[in-house]
Amino acid sequence: MPTPTSSPTADRLKPLGFGATTGAVHLNLPPAALVDHALRRGEGELTDTGALMCDTGQFTGRSPKDRFIVRDAGTESSVWWGDINIPFAPEKFDQLHQKMVAYLADKEVFVRDAYAGAHPSYQLRLRVVNELAWHNLFCYNLFLRPEAGADTAWLPNFSIICAPGFLADPAVDGTRQANFAVINFTKKMILIGGTAYAGEMKKGIFGVLNYLLPHAHATLPMHCSANVGPQGDTAIFFGLSGTGKTTLSADPNRGLIGDDEHGWTPGGEVFNFEGGCYAKVIDLSREKEPEIWNAIRYGAIVENTRFVLGTHTVDYANKSVTENTRTAYPIDFIANAVEPGVAGAPQNIFFLTADAFGVLPPISKLDKSHAMYLFMSGYTAKVAGTEMGITEPQTTFSACFGAVFLPLHPTKYAEMLGQKMDENPDVNVWLINTGWTGGAYGTGHRMKLGYTRAMITAALTGQLDTVKFNPHPVFGVMVPGAVPGVPSEILDPRRTWADKDAYDRTANALADKFVANFEKYADFAKEEILAGAPRAAVTV
């Protein structure tokens, strides 16, 4: 039997509850070494661009029903408990922790010290223990990397222990299934087991920041992409999957601050939480998204993809494993990335929605009440074919465009957004419909990307500052009468429908869905937020 060893590297594990270990402990290995280890251990293969292709096994996405938060004196009255934040007993966490430590004690592990938060005043020091080499490479890519030679022998502010091979016993450990992700805010630790989906680590830390930043730093955490123009004007883009968040923020004329997670400080700065990008690659092409295409090279990871038969070329159209195929790469693989990822307060905020009912205007301006209400609603619509059983458009509401990552009640984040708007009176908030026009899905057609880009450019460059706006009769948002480069007839969605009565009925029906969704928040929402609700339509 191997002899237990102690070394400066192994000592990094002691604050995480590890005793002496008998397996090799690799600390802060560079990407090339991690790629070599992953290949040696049979964890993946190299593609013809040099990227490492890996599979995540049974779980090809997060498992939200198996994500828990420890309920103790520190979280009892602050966490928004329910189907999203599922309580977990402290003693069960301790038991699970001890079992995971024992499981890893004789195994080769990969340890990484990193940061979350590009702004030095809001950084979270991280220590991650991985069973898999490619997971440690994922953490190198997605979290912020200390400068070469920096001393990271500090106590972490938060740690992650991730062991996909460790399976919980639900009857004994208090989990729902063998897989789990448990956050303990008191012990500052996340335990992840039974799943190899790397995104659980990234989103686990996002959940931590969504709790800590509003509490301790009066900083608004945001599930959004962000970029900055040549004149220093910042823009942020909120949107659920399929709305164009990554595509529309990737602008060769603007610097990319980040593609997914940011904070907005009391001092007015926007900063990236991450050091990389985790982008979907289903149907990826060089023509549609050249920045992502060119970033998939040596050091990058592709998940759950497949090769073109007989080659090592990735077939991005292949959905045989999942539609949620992804790539993970450091942000400096994007040519126009801003490092460090910090910029000034946003001048423009975009809420992106793919409205498959064809009701919402392609661009509209929001006042404070509408902004807070629509932020809390987090609306988009799924269309037929995106999931089994969906044969017609279905509404999707996700509070603050990321409900599954919110430990606090959504009203907390919405009120913070309203406060930011008060503190930055020149900020413009826009609702952008990247979905359907001329009718609902099946009758109308998808808004042309070129028109959407023209509308966003017009908003960013101030071309809409002198345009006349008119209120939408149902949703109350302000619709511009003209946008350079965009046909005026598509700006009013009702005008694009051949059957105007059908439009009115559909608009009313969607408004009713908004109101019904908001009922679960109404008792906690202030009147200023409720004032942004849609009204019963008046036929015009």
Side-chain angles (χ1 to χ4, degrees):
M1 173 178 276
T3 302
T5 60
S6 180
S7 67
T9 296
D11 287 347
R12 299 283 177 105
L13 299 179
K14 290 181 179 178
L16 278 60
F18 287 79
T21 59
T22 58
V25 180
H26 304 286
L27 176 66
N28 294 331
L29 293 182
L34 289 170
V35 170
D36 289 346
H37 279 296
L39 296 174
R40 170 181 63 82
R41 291 158 54 95
E43 295 177 6
E45 298 181 71
L46 290 183
T47 73
D48 59 4
T49 69
L52 181 67
M53 179 191 286
C54 300
D55 278 2
T56 64
Q58 176 185 355
F59 295 95
T60 57
R62 291 178 303 100
S63 184
K65 293 182 179 179
D66 299 296
R67 181 257 203 188
F68 307 91
I69 295 177
V70 172
R71 188 171 194 162
D72 56 21
T75 58
E76 173 67 41
S77 60
S78 56
V79 168
W80 177 38
W81 300 109
D83 294 339
I84 290 173
N85 298 306
I86 306 167
F88 201 78
E91 62 273 15
K92 292 296 186 183
F93 178 90
D94 293 342
Q95 175 179 296
L96 207 53
H97 180 208
Q98 292 167 8
K99 291 171 73 171
M100 291 187 74
V101 166
Y103 168 82
L104 291 171
D106 63 350
K107 291 180 171 54
E108 184 178 26
V109 296
F110 301 85
V111 181
R112 178 148 308 279
D113 299 318
Y115 296 105
H119 195 298
S121 299
Y122 304 93
Q123 284 180 338
L124 198 70
R125 297 192 302 271
L126 307 176
R127 182 158 295 143
V128 189
V129 181
N130 293 118
E131 182 180 11
L132 299 178
W134 82 263
H135 271 191
N136 206 247
L137 177 61
F138 177 92
C139 292
Y140 175 90
N141 287 349
L142 266 296
F143 296 131
L144 288 153
R145 299 157 286 279
E147 293 184 12
D151 180 11
T152 59
W154 28 250
L155 287 175
N157 301 124
F158 236 88
S159 55
I160 302 172
I161 300 175
C162 182
F166 175 82
L167 303 179
D169 181 347
V172 175
D173 297 323
T175 59
R176 186 182 72 99
Q177 300 186 136
N179 62 296
F180 57 89
V182 189
I183 302 174
N184 190 323
F185 284 104
T186 299
K187 297 201 169 180
K188 300 178 172 58
M189 186 178 295
I190 303 175
L191 303 179
I192 301 171
T195 172
Y197 184 66
E200 292 281 14
M201 294 182 287
K202 161 191 159 69
K203 289 306 185 185
I205 291 301
F206 185 45
V208 168
L209 290 169
N210 272 292
Y211 183 83
L212 296 179
L213 287 176
H215 264 317
H217 300 288
T219 291
L220 174 62
M222 303 177 293
H223 187 212
C224 69
S225 58
N227 62 28
V228 61
Q231 306 304 316
D233 59 301
T234 303
I236 55 180
F237 299 78
F238 291 93
L240 300 175
S241 179
T243 60
K245 177 164 63 78
T246 299
T247 299
L248 292 170
S249 62
D251 185 334
N253 299 312
R254 297 174 65 84
L256 179 67
I257 304 169
D259 78 331
D260 198 41
E261 303 171 4
H262 295 82
W264 189 350
T265 74
E269 293 168 297
V270 168
F271 67 96
N272 191 2
F273 290 168
E274 303 184 295
C277 300
Y278 191 37
K280 287 189 174 183
V281 294
I282 195 69
D283 293 324
L284 179 72
S285 70
R286 188 196 301 268
E287 294 71 30
K288 288 193 300 183
E289 296 182 280
E291 293 85 5
I292 295 175
W293 179 276
N294 292 328
I296 302 176
R297 57 183 191 262
Y298 186 79
I301 299 166
V302 283
E303 287 181 356
N304 298 318
T305 52
R306 289 294 178 264
F307 293 131
V308 174
L309 191 63
T311 75
H312 278 81
T313 300
V314 178
D315 178 4
Y316 290 111
N318 190 317
K319 305 174 184 178
S320 61
V321 179
T322 177
E323 289 199 3
N324 190 34
T325 52
R326 289 185 176 267
T327 181
Y329 50 83
I331 198 166
D332 60 11
F333 279 22
I334 297 292
N336 62 333
V338 175
E339 291 191 279
V342 182
Q347 283 74 54
N348 290 280
I349 299 172
F350 298 96
F351 296 162
L352 307 176
T353 179
D355 175 27
F357 297 95
V359 165
L360 295 176
I363 182 170
S364 52
K365 194 172 184 179
L366 312 181
D367 62 18
K368 182 181 172 185
S369 291
H370 284 107
M372 289 191 290
Y373 185 93
L374 291 171
F375 183 57
M376 281 190 63
S377 297
Y379 164 72
T380 192
K382 295 176 182 177
V383 298
T386 57
E387 290 183 11
M388 292 291 291
I390 295 181
T391 57
E392 59 183 31
Q394 290 190 1
T395 53
T396 299
F397 294 100
S398 183
C400 309
F401 298 95
V404 293
F405 313 122
L406 305 182
L408 307 179
H409 195 279
T411 51
K412 172 66 176 178
Y413 305 98
E415 289 169 2
M416 290 187 75
L417 176 65
Q419 180 182 350
K420 295 295 184 188
M421 292 179 69
D422 289 339
E423 294 169 353
N424 299 269
D426 294 332
V427 67
N428 295 310
V429 184
W430 309 91
L431 179 65
I432 303 290
N433 176 17
T434 62
W436 272 254
T437 184
Y441 174 84
T443 302
H445 56 87
R446 191 82 187 252
M447 184 66 61
K448 291 182 179 179
L449 179 60
Y451 290 159
T452 300
R453 288 193 184 279
M455 288 182 270
I456 288 176
T457 297
L460 290 172
T461 55
Q463 295 179 75
L464 302 183
D465 291 351
T466 57
V467 169
K468 182 182 178 182
F469 287 77
N470 297 298
H472 188 275
V474 179
F475 288 88
V477 296
M478 301 301 291
V479 183
V483 176
V486 179
S488 59
E489 58 269 19
I490 73 168
L491 298 176
D492 178 356
R494 191 173 187 270
R495 289 176 59 190
T496 68
W497 283 53
D499 186 340
K500 303 297 190 285
D501 290 339
Y503 174 85
D504 295 334
R505 290 193 300 270
T506 307
N508 279 333
L510 182 58
D512 288 343
K513 291 178 185 293
F514 269 84
V515 173
N517 169 72
F518 210 86
E519 286 179 355
K520 58 181 174 285
Y521 309 130
D523 290 344
F524 300 91
K526 296 178 180 178
E527 183 57 39
E528 189 175 27
I529 298 177
L530 297 174
R535 308 301 182 199
V538 178
T539 304
V540 294

